[in-house]
Amino acid sequence: MEKPQYNTDIVKSFVHSSVLWGLVTVLVGLVVSVQLTNPELNFPPYFTYGRLRPLHTNAGFFGWVVGFIFATFYYIVQRLCKVRLWSDKLATFQLWFFNATIVATAITLLLGYTTSKEYHEMEWPIDLMIIILWVTFAVNIVMTIIKRKEEQMYISLWYMLAAIVGVAILFLVNSAAVPVSLFKSYSAFAGTNDANVQWWFGHNAVAMLLTAPPLAMFYYFLPKSTGVPIYSHKISIISFWSMIFMYLWTGAHHLLWTPVPDWIQTLAMAFSVMLIAPSWGSVINGYMSMKGQWHQMRENYLVKFLILGITFYGLQTLQGPMQAIRSFSAFIHYTDWVPAHIHMGTMGWVSMIGFASIYYLVPRIYGKELYSIPLANVHFWLALTGQLVWSISLWIAGVLQAGMWTAMNPDGSLTYTFMETMVEMYPYWWARTAGGALFFFGILVFIYNLFKTVRNGEKTAPLTAIAQGRA
């Protein structure tokens, strides 16, 4: 059978873009963490915490994560479908439009143009750019799948399609707005309806952008890296459909103890707890795939990233449902526990899978051996240690915060003022900065290793280019 000539140039370009925006994300995150402990480092009007923080989250979500989603999906879809990408020209347009959209988002956010909606701060002209970008991507992926020569639809393709359709629906509904000027609009929804739609979008953006795509990558790259098949295709399919159904009902757990009707809150709480099952279906599937292969955790640097990534996914999907229970939410909501939870997902789950995917891709698309496996292992330990320091420090801070906020004197007055509580946070905020710095140094090692691979790495013969990475 004639081997298809895959388009690897577009994969290279999206890898470059995603790594660039990943560096920006972590660097801006470091800046805003220091601004909390050193307010004098806020430089109005453009470089204040209030403007840099949404730049940090959007660069992370839509620059780093969407960038490596584009790169890996274009790599995976061609190989699982055994055909070349449907349209090279469309993919090239998408690349340039993607970077233009990220730059436009960064500029407008720094200028103060914002809808104030979490994860959807971009105003309506940027929304239109995002819609064009996503439709371009969707058409190329779907048409490639339609013209596939491989009849079997592997689980990664299911997660890819779910992400494409899910993001489109969520973004279109939540971006419904009435423009009143070039960079100002008002939501089409009002009051509790607006809040409910926003967190239906917000939490399911986590599902369709930060869960389904990394699972597509995990199910593809784990077997490729270990040389053994996934444990159970049946479990992967059951977990997929269960997760897709359950996730859509969970958004209102962000709105517990608010004017949103109690039945909506309870429904979200119930589905959040049930979501543990399909999430852990994928975790168990990954662990069982390692049966008899656990030695690769020592020997194969790719497996380290992938297995620690799925482990943090499992922890994330235990902690999240716990936070969705009313009594616990009443205690920790609005505290530093919440960003600790989020960053365990973004740094420990999504980024670990992203690092593994890019480490897998670069040697293969450039036909060169990775420059330094020891440096990849250094990156792993920096990323793991940085994430743990980051999250654990704020988990402790969140519990302390909640305890101080709710402490009362015998007469019913508050024991601590808000300022007293904030002063107690400073050591934990500095610890968070230290954890972020470790993660940032890991990114620098990552980039250096990739750069040296491309520039100075030893060329591989076609048949040895798929060799596993060994520590």
Side-chain angles (χ1 to χ4, degrees), residues 253-267:
H253 73 216
H254 289 265
L255 300 169
L256 301 178
W257 307 103
T258 70
V260 170
D262 279 355
W263 72 267
I264 294 178
Q265 298 179 34
T266 303
L267 187 72

Side-chain angles (χ1 to χ4, degrees), residues 264-393:
I264 294 178
Q265 298 179 34
T266 303
L267 187 72
M269 184 172 65
F271 272 98
S272 297
V273 173
M274 288 191 289
L275 194 57
I276 294 172
S279 301
W280 269 82
S282 292
V283 176
I284 293 169
N285 212 0
Y287 286 167
M288 293 302 292
S289 300
M290 293 298 295
K291 188 176 180 180
Q293 298 295 324
W294 286 104
H295 59 90
Q296 292 202 43
M297 285 291 288
R298 296 189 307 271
E299 302 165 355
N300 189 329
Y301 72 98
L302 292 172
V303 174
K304 288 186 180 74
F305 283 98
L306 291 165
I307 293 300
L308 262 293
I310 201 69
T311 299
F312 281 119
Y313 173 60
L315 295 173
Q316 185 84 349
T317 53
L318 288 177
Q319 193 180 73
M322 180 173 69
Q323 292 171 201
I325 297 171
R326 276 197 182 90
S327 56
F328 190 68
S329 177
F331 184 67
I332 57 90
H333 204 48
Y334 303 118
T335 72
D336 284 342
W337 174 285
V338 177
H341 165 68
I342 294 167
H343 282 75
M344 179 173 65
T346 54
M347 296 164 71
W349 155 233
V350 180
S351 291
M352 284 289 197
I353 299 299
F355 294 144
S357 301
I358 292 173
Y359 273 129
Y360 181 94
L361 290 180
V362 168
R364 287 154 182 82
I365 58 181
Y366 282 97
K368 295 184 176 182
E369 297 285 355
L370 187 69
Y371 173 72
S372 173
I373 291 173
L375 280 181
N377 284 314
V378 169
H379 173 210
F380 168 79
W381 288 109
L382 285 170
L384 176 61
T385 306
Q387 189 274 313
L388 289 174
V389 171
W390 206 110
S391 295
I392 292 172
S393 62

Side-chain angles (χ1 to χ4, degrees), residues 165-188:
V165 174
V167 168
I169 294 172
L170 293 163
F171 194 86
L172 281 172
V173 173
N174 198 49
S175 62
V178 179
V180 293
S181 68
L182 181 59
F183 286 108
K184 184 58 189 171
S185 63
Y186 291 98
S187 174

Side-chain angles (χ1 to χ4, degrees), residues 6-14 84 95 365:
Y6 300 135
N7 183 345
T8 57
D9 289 339
I10 194 64
V11 179
K12 293 177 184 177
S13 298
F14 274 119
R84 187 180 176 88
L95 170 70
I365 58 181

